[in-house]
Amino acid sequence: MIEALILAAAAKAVSMEVRLKDGATWTVTAERTHTEQGDGASAGWSLRTERHLRWRKGGLSRNDELTITPLKAEAGPGAAADLAAAHSFPAPVTVEVDFQLKPMSFVDPKAVRAIQAGLDSESAKGPAWRTDAAAMARIAPELALVSRGQSHPLVPGKPQTYAPTLPGPVGPVKGQGAFALESHDPQAGRAVIVWRQTVEPAAIRESVEQALAMARKIDPARAERLAAEMPAFTTGFEDTCRYEIDLPTGLAVRTVCDLTAGSDTHRVSDRWVVTQSLPEPR
């Protein structure tokens, strides 16, 4: 869906594609604050990671590649002793990326899966995609957020909207999303993109009701459990990001994202502040 929007807008939009020299290197630093609220109490943790990135231009027979080397992982005060280790990967990994620098797959998946199995044996059980997802969540989760705002041509004053189907508490739900160009300053070499994606409570309830109807036919006991939990699904999801784009390179030099999900009784939120140093532009 997002790729289609990019192609549709490209003809009239401000040019903000990623422009890097082959072999370009830079550093990405991510500060994540995780909070959970429920039953009148609040708990959470914070984590700061730093990674070195090296981009390699692809060709006719291969995709562009990004080598991600871990440099640092530091948990905030009061965090669990193993927090940093649980959210980091111990070795450099090369991934194939698209034109937005979004990681798509591992160049050497067998090696990555072997390391992931040693870090978390449970994640290595089942299909390979589950192991790969668990490994990617350790290797560079911030890149999925940052890449969303990169190489995204937008027309000033004309938000690009879309209607995604997103995973919900018991099944897929219908959402609404939009990208907008908040500001564009070619002389300063900067642009700001804002993104918002939401799922309304009504969509959550519709998804749960559909799951209930199916469960009643297949597993009445499960249907009763879902019905008992139904009142909790009254709050939707809301994700927002603000990207400051460096126009010469196309990289988001500063990204701030707030991701929130939950119900009236339990709420989970993550704030990400991600910065990228500037490599030499092409």
Side-chain angles (χ1 to χ4, degrees):
M1 175 64 70
I2 292 177
E3 287 80 1
L5 290 174
I6 291 174
L7 292 174
K12 301 179 181 179
V14 173
S15 177
M16 290 184 282
E17 68 268 23
V18 172
R19 301 183 183 92
L20 300 173
K21 288 188 176 181
D22 190 21
T25 63
W26 68 100
T27 301
V28 58
T29 302
E31 298 179 12
R32 179 184 179 187
T33 303
H34 178 83
T35 306
E36 295 189 31
Q37 297 173 315
D39 300 324
S42 178
W45 47 262
S46 62
L47 179 70
R48 185 180 187 276
T49 59
E50 186 175 324
R51 314 179 209 272
H52 178 269
L53 306 179
R54 182 181 182 86
W55 181 76
R56 181 185 178 191
K57 183 177 177 60
L60 295 177
S61 60
R62 63 181 176 87
N63 294 314
D64 295 345
E65 296 176 357
L66 197 62
T67 298
I68 305 164
T69 302
L71 298 178
K72 190 180 299 182
E74 298 175 335
D82 63 346
L83 177 69
H87 288 81
S88 57
F89 205 76
V93 174
T94 300
V95 297
E96 295 185 2
V97 296
D98 65 8
F99 64 99
Q100 291 181 281
L101 302 189
K102 177 183 177 180
M104 298 186 297
S105 60
F106 301 118
V107 171
D108 188 351
K110 290 184 178 180
V112 173
R113 291 167 191 164
I115 295 174
Q116 177 62 26
L119 297 172
D120 181 3
S121 59
E122 287 299 315
S123 69
K125 297 178 181 178
W129 65 263
R130 187 174 299 166
T131 305
D132 291 353
M136 196 68 79
R138 286 174 171 267
I139 291 166
E142 66 273 19
L143 294 185
L145 291 175
V146 170
S147 63
R148 183 182 284 118
Q150 294 177 165
S151 291
H152 204 313
L154 293 166
V155 178
K158 293 185 177 181
Q160 290 291 320
T161 61
Y162 63 101
T165 298
L166 303 168
V170 295
V173 295
K174 299 175 183 177
Q176 300 85 40
F179 290 87
L181 184 61
E182 183 179 89
S183 64
H184 173 233
D185 187 341
Q187 290 186 339
R190 285 289 190 271
V192 173
I193 293 173
V194 291
W195 168 77
R196 185 171 183 261
Q197 183 170 263
T198 61
V199 175
E200 299 299 328
I204 299 288
R205 288 193 293 270
E206 180 182 354
S207 173
V208 173
E209 288 167 357
Q210 291 174 349
L212 278 173
M214 183 176 296
R216 288 190 180 103
K217 297 178 181 178
I218 301 173
D219 187 346
R222 180 171 181 266
E224 291 302 317
R225 290 195 299 272
L226 283 175
E229 296 170 359
M230 180 71 173
F233 299 122
T234 56
T235 300
F237 305 87
E238 181 174 25
D239 300 338
T240 62
C241 289
R242 186 177 188 275
Y243 303 93
E244 182 180 343
I245 306 297
D246 173 69
L247 294 177
T249 63
L251 294 183
V253 291
R254 179 176 170 83
T255 299
V256 179
C257 293
D258 288 294
L259 316 176
T260 305
S263 67
D264 291 339
T265 58
H266 185 253
R267 198 167 186 83
V268 178
S269 61
D270 281 280
R271 164 161 277 218
W272 292 79
V273 179
V274 186
T275 56
Q276 295 189 95
S277 63
L278 287 178
E280 187 177 357
R282 187 171 64 199

